[in-house]
Amino acid sequence: QVYLLYNKGKAETKRQKEGCRKGRVTMIVHWLGWISVILMVLSFGAWLLRKTGCREKKLLQQFRGKRHHQWGEGMLLVALIHGVLSILFFHHLCKKKVLTGILVFLAAFCLKMTAEKRKQLGGKWLQYHRIAAVALLPLLALHVLFSLFGGR
C-alpha cells in the first residue's frame, strides 16, 4: 500500500517520506560516530604527543587534566547516543558491528571507571587505566572497519 501525502503542494509517498527521515538519522548516527572517534583521539592526545617525541610542557598540559576528563566523558556520552540510535533505527545491522560497538563502549566505560575509582584502586589504577586504553584502540579499529566495509 502506498499512501500519498500532500506537503506544500508536493505529493510524496509515505515510503519516500520515511526513507528521507531514515536518511537523516543515518547521517546523524554516522557523524556521532566520527565525533566520538575525534573526542577519543583528543583524550589520547598527551600520550600521542609523548610517543612522537614532543616534550613541550604547555602543549602537553593542553591534553592533560580537566580537558582529558571532559573529552573522555564527552566521548562516552556521544558514543552512547550513537549506539542507542544505531540499535533503535537500524536493528537489522550486522552482528559484528553491534558486538564491536558494545565492546568499544565497555572498554571506554572501563576507562571512566578506573579514573573514577582511582582512590579505591590505589597505586594500580593507572596501570588498569592504560590496559583499558590499549584494549580500546584495536576494538575501535575493528568497529570502524566493520562499519565501513562490513556490509549489512
Side-chain angles (χ1 to χ4, degrees), residues 15-56:
R15 191 174 297 143
Q16 285 172 330
K17 193 166 184 89
E18 202 171 285
C20 183
R21 190 174 307 129
K22 202 160 199 154
R24 284 189 214 122
V25 173
T26 302
M27 187 174 69
I28 291 168
V29 168
H30 175 82
W31 283 107
L32 285 173
W34 285 113
I35 290 168
S36 182
V37 169
I38 290 167
L39 288 170
M40 187 196 71
V41 168
L42 286 171
S43 63
F44 274 85
W47 179 78
L48 290 169
L49 285 172
R50 276 197 322 274
K51 289 298 178 187
T52 58
C54 178
R55 299 285 181 235
E56 191 174 321

Side-chain angles (χ1 to χ4, degrees), residues 40-125:
M40 187 196 71
V41 168
L42 286 171
S43 63
F44 274 85
W47 179 78
L48 290 169
L49 285 172
R50 276 197 322 274
K51 289 298 178 187
T52 58
C54 178
R55 299 285 181 235
E56 191 174 321
K57 294 261 187 212
K58 283 187 177 183
L59 187 59
L60 286 170
Q61 284 303 104
Q62 293 292 317
F63 289 97
R64 286 194 181 137
K66 190 176 182 180
R67 286 195 179 150
H68 174 76
H69 297 288
Q70 290 171 342
W71 287 325
E73 289 171 354
M75 182 203 53
L76 262 178
L77 180 65
V78 172
L80 179 65
I81 296 168
H82 166 75
V84 169
L85 287 177
S86 295
I87 290 171
L88 286 177
F89 286 96
F90 310 104
H91 49 83
H92 61 279
L93 284 176
C94 170
K95 290 178 184 174
K96 292 184 274 188
K97 291 179 191 179
V98 175
L99 179 64
T100 55
I102 290 170
L103 290 174
V104 168
F105 184 79
L106 288 175
F109 188 73
C110 287
L111 276 168
K112 174 68 177 157
M113 293 317 311
T114 56
E116 287 290 320
K117 304 289 183 185
R118 62 180 168 254
K119 288 181 182 174
Q120 290 93 332
L121 294 171
K124 292 249 184 196
W125 83 269

